Amino acid sequence: MERSHLHRQLVLARQTLFDQGYLDEQFIQLEELQDDANPNFVEEVVTLHYRDSARLIYNIEQALEKTALDFNKLDSYMHQFKGSSSSIGAKKVKAECTLFREYCRAGNGEGCMRSFQQLKKEYATLKRKLEAYFQLARQVGPIDTASRPK
Amino acid sequence: MMENGFSSPRSEAFPAGLRVLVVDDDPTWLKILEKMLKKCSYEVTTCGLARDALNLLRERKDGYDIVISDVNMPDMDGFKLLEHVGLEMDLPVIMMSVDGETSRVMKGVQHGACDYLLKPIRMKELRNIWQHVFRKKILEVRDIESLEGIETIQMSRNLSDLSDDGQLLCGDDVVSLKKRKDVEKKHDDKEVAENSSAKKARVVWSVDLHQKFVRAVNQIGFDKVGPKKILDLMNVPRLTRENVASHLQKYRLYLSRLQKENDIKSSVGVIKHSESPIRDAAGSIGIQNMINMQHNDVPKNTYGFLCHAKIVQSVNPRGSEFDRKGIGSIPASESKHTQTIDGTELCKPRSSQKEFGHFLKPWEPGVNLAACDRTFMSRGSWCAIPEIQMKQEHNPSCLDDGLKELPIPGQRLQMKADFIQQALPIDSGICTKERDVSGTETTKPLYEHRSNVSHVSKLGFTVNSSLLQAKTCIESNQAIGSISANPPSGKKSEFNLGCMTKLEPVPKDIKWGACLTSLDNDYKRNANLVSSSDSGINSSQSQTSAFMPNYMDNEPISSQAPSMKNQGFNLNCFADLESSQRCVDWGAPLFGASSDDLQVSWIQDDCYAMNLGLQNIDFSEYRDPALIGEVPVHLYDALKFDHVNSSDPTEYCVIDQSLFIA
């Protein structure tokens, strides 16, 4: 009873992430890749992404602190970051990346700063939400993780 | 179910166990891709640095079947890696990026990527990657075949292709064209950018050295060939295994390109065959000629220039198909309508020309690339102008001939074909260092006119459904392709003479008379020009009349079209010649009359003059054996081969005459 309740909660949490536009189909892809050989594949990938992207965020922060912004460099960093974000299907973050790069191309430093702040916010929010989601998933147990689409 | 990618049985059918090297600086993607590929039962190696990947590949040359690489990597540009892999390992490389910008994708493809995947990459995209490996294998097998079988087998195979799977090849045309372009573009870039293998191999591959190399390869057998064996056999001091390896690599690439060209060629043949039974006969004659020629003259696998022609042809149909669609909405033409059509079409030929330029470049590896480039560039603008002229000239002539029923668009299609071909001759002229090029080139358009003109005057073909025309146009594009593309390469002066003597009896003057009556002023002027020009032109004249029947016969309808178009073009040629003072005596004096036309042509002067200049001035350079050394022997052979094809003057001559009598 308790367990099925948790399970329902998990399904709901997952669905909310999609409904609120935090995640896209790539996340489902990851879930599809999860199998007996890698029962925690999704979580592993997400963790890896956050570990790696922290370095990129730091790079971008440094680059933005410069008085004369190097937009090429910023664009290149953001390209990397966007690629990484696409790996877990971080939809909102990705959208911010795109915006940031547009500002880069337009040479709009102000816009870059603003979108980067927004990006960090989305990035952190998603991280929090995903952590909560995985926590819940662990409670539900490995047998039936999120309803894996066939 | 069999979710577990790790336990893929090695005994499974081909795609399973494919050895994939994944290179990405993003560890997250590396992990995901590894998992995905394992699920496809592929054998995966991952690598976070491009340099490491390159080292891995170098260590185990035959250790991988395919490489998947990210475009942006901090230590080495993905494109650079791609180049290295293409050059050193000749493995298929798939690029991937989160960026789907056309320019970037294009860059990847140009650098030789066999595919360009956008992140996030889907499993189903990876499932299919084995096809690139497979495709490459097929091509390799063909290379071997072509090398072993040399002319005869090759030829007969092509012939059988025509009847069997030719249609299929047809469908692939566009694709293979693209691919070739990429490969070739890749080469360009390589030549421009400092390229690793060039740096390594400081050996100059002279003609002698290359022949030694080819001999060694042939002796060993292409399928068993290896750099070490070749090196031993060549027995040249200071030559290293690496030198040989990289040369072998290029040689293979070169052969595989030849092969691809051949395929296209045969597919073009099919189009012709399927659509016109009469041409069938002509076509096969042509092919037979080729075969003979190959036997008689040069025992080599020689498609170099013919291939050019083919490329052109296959470009054309594509373009014309687009056009045809456009035409659909514009009903049979009144002059206003045609104007608009012109507008839209103006850009099309240009683009195809550009493509064409790409194709061509790689064929002159050793020869002054920069120079050729320039001519290509100029041609871009160049080909647009004649069309403008066309507009003025054409419409009236159409009306004159009572061709109102004929969709002008159809004619346009052909015009395009002509331009492209015109470009072709010039190029081949440039890179094949023939003596008479300037003369022949410029005259060539003329005859096309002429024979066309004669068509026009006949008026026999006026009634045609537009549909039919559209269809035939495509065909004739090709026909013309081969016809007019041939002369340039075959334009040895002896040959011209031969033609001349044989064809002299053809009643050219009658043709002229006819056209003069049926055409408006502009036309006449052209005609005058032509008829008063001297023997240089005559020879060429007769030459075309020899070719023309080939398609005239089969498709009077469509072949009529090009005639009018050419006109404008001709004028230009003349004008250009004149201005450059390089022309044989005939250009200048004749021109006085047509000042309006001249103006238009002046615009083009620069490019054209440049072309001429190239030919005339730089010839000595092209003859320089050192330079030629870089040009594969085959190219030369192809020349001969071409002109034989086009030369069957006696046969065609007969047809020609009968045509006029009729």
Side-chain angles (χ1 to χ4, degrees), chain B residues 554-626:
Chain B
N554 306 327
E555 285 137 13
I557 314 134
S558 49
S559 50
Q560 161 263 336
S563 59
M564 300 172 204
K565 288 141 203 173
N566 275 338
Q567 209 177 327
F569 179 71
N570 270 342
L571 272 178
N572 295 328
C573 288
F574 276 105
D576 296 332
L577 278 175
E578 187 193 3
S579 69
S580 62
Q581 294 293 330
R582 222 175 277 287
C583 55
V584 212
D585 5 346
W586 31 282
L590 298 177
F591 248 95
S594 52
S595 50
D596 346 342
D597 294 322
L598 269 181
Q599 279 184 323
V600 182
S601 355
W602 288 118
I603 306 170
Q604 303 156 3
D605 269 351
D606 293 344
C607 1
Y608 211 85
M610 189 160 61
N611 283 346
L612 289 172
L614 272 174
Q615 290 143 14
N616 292 339
I617 297 166
D618 295 347
F619 264 1
S620 52
E621 264 181 60
Y622 292 129
R623 288 198 207 102
D624 185 348

Side-chain angles (χ1 to χ4, degrees), chain B residues 508-526:
Chain B
K508 290 165 229 146
D509 295 334
I510 295 171
K511 282 190 243 169
W512 287 114
C515 78
L516 287 178
T517 53
S518 61
L519 298 171
D520 62 308
N521 283 340
D522 282 349
Y523 231 108
K524 267 182 219 160
R525 237 178 279 152
N526 267 337

Side-chain angles (χ1 to χ4, degrees), chain B residues 339-360:
Chain B
Q339 295 286 13
T340 54
I341 293 168
D342 274 354
T344 56
E345 281 188 347
L346 266 177
C347 39
K348 273 175 198 160
R350 222 179 299 160
S351 66
S352 47
Q353 196 96 31
K354 266 182 217 150
E355 281 177 47
F356 177 63
H358 289 311
F359 293 146
L360 268 179

Side-chain angles (χ1 to χ4, degrees), chain A residues 71-128:
Chain A
F71 287 108
N72 277 334
K73 200 168 190 175
L74 280 171
D75 184 67
S76 157
Y77 282 143
M78 194 47 84
H79 178 255
Q80 254 181 297
F81 186 79
K82 189 183 174 188
S84 192
S85 303
S86 77
S87 69
I88 61 159
K91 198 176 177 183
K92 284 194 177 182
V93 179
K94 234 174 91 179
E96 287 303 327
C97 294
T98 310
L99 194 65
F100 183 94
R101 295 187 72 193
E102 269 162 28
Y103 284 128
C104 270
R105 262 158 233 177
N108 183 346
E110 182 65 27
C112 282
M113 300 286 191
R114 241 185 300 121
S115 70
F116 185 62
Q117 292 313 315
Q118 187 61 29
L119 182 146
K120 278 202 292 187
K121 215 175 92 193
E122 294 295 350
Y123 174 78
T125 310
L126 181 65
K127 189 180 182 194
R128 209 174 51 244

Side-chain angles (χ1 to χ4, degrees), chain A residues 25-26 29-30 32-33 35 37-38 41 44-45 48-49 52 79-80 83-84 86-87 101 105 148, chain B residues 3-6 25-29 31-32 35-36 39 72 74 97-99 101 119-123:
Chain A
E25 326 76 69
Q26 175 61 18
Q29 280 267 319
L30 295 182
E32 282 169 346
L33 288 171
D35 56 23
N38 301 73
F41 187 73
E44 282 168 29
V45 168
L48 185 56
H49 160 74
D52 183 57
H79 178 255
Q80 254 181 297
S84 192
S86 77
S87 69
R101 295 187 72 193
R105 262 158 233 177
R148 193 187 304 153
Chain B
E3 293 263 37
N4 190 347
F6 295 103
D25 62 308
D26 186 334
T28 322
W29 268 113
K31 187 180 170 77
I32 296 170
K35 183 70 188 169
M36 284 179 164
K39 276 201 176 259
N72 296 75
S97 169
V98 73
D99 244 342
E101 264 174 67
K119 285 176 176 176
I121 290 162
R122 300 263 169 268
M123 180 89 164

Side-chain angles (χ1 to χ4, degrees), chain B residues 150-170:
Chain B
I150 309 194
E151 325 82 69
T152 337
I153 296 171
Q154 179 82 46
M155 231 39 229
S156 55
R157 207 177 62 81
N158 277 345
L159 281 174
S160 65
D161 275 355
L162 290 185
S163 46
D164 296 339
D165 49 343
Q167 285 300 34
L168 278 174
L169 287 168
C170 251

Side-chain angles (χ1 to χ4, degrees), chain B residues 414-433:
Chain B
Q414 287 209 304
M415 178 159 45
K416 208 171 305 159
D418 288 342
F419 289 150
I420 294 169
Q421 285 142 15
Q422 240 98 53
L424 179 70
I426 293 163
D427 293 326
S428 43
I430 291 169
C431 26
T432 56
K433 35 139 208 157

